[in-house]
Amino acid sequence: VLDLPWQVCVDYAGLTINKGEACEVRLKAKGLPARVAGVGVGLAEKPWSNFGLYKKIELTNEFAEIKLPFKATDSSTNARIH
């Protein structure tokens, strides 16, 4: 098994985000086996810019509710959670 944070990829695009806005990504996740995963918010097209959130999270074999607050660093109508 490879130990890479991007082995499983979830991508939710087409979101509107406004610079300076307080935002929060919420998810429920687990890892089997336990692992580190990356969660970010950015542009859903080239140049794939980051909009203020990229964080590595520790996943265990039990579901956990995760809240990741951040302040948007740019605006777009084509943002994505990845």
Side-chain angles (χ1 to χ4, degrees), residues 9-46:
C9 183
V10 176
D11 196 88
Y12 188 76
L15 304 172
T16 297
I17 194 166
N18 297 304
K19 185 175 183 174
E21 188 172 69
C23 303
E24 184 173 69
V25 172
R26 296 179 192 176
L27 60 121
K28 191 172 185 178
K30 70 178 181 176
L32 291 174
R35 65 183 66 218
V36 174
V39 178
V41 175
L43 187 59
E45 59 194 353
K46 288 182 182 180

Side-chain angles (χ1 to χ4, degrees), residues 41-53:
V41 175
L43 187 59
E45 59 194 353
K46 288 182 182 180
W48 311 106
S49 308
N50 181 296
F51 287 159
L53 176 68

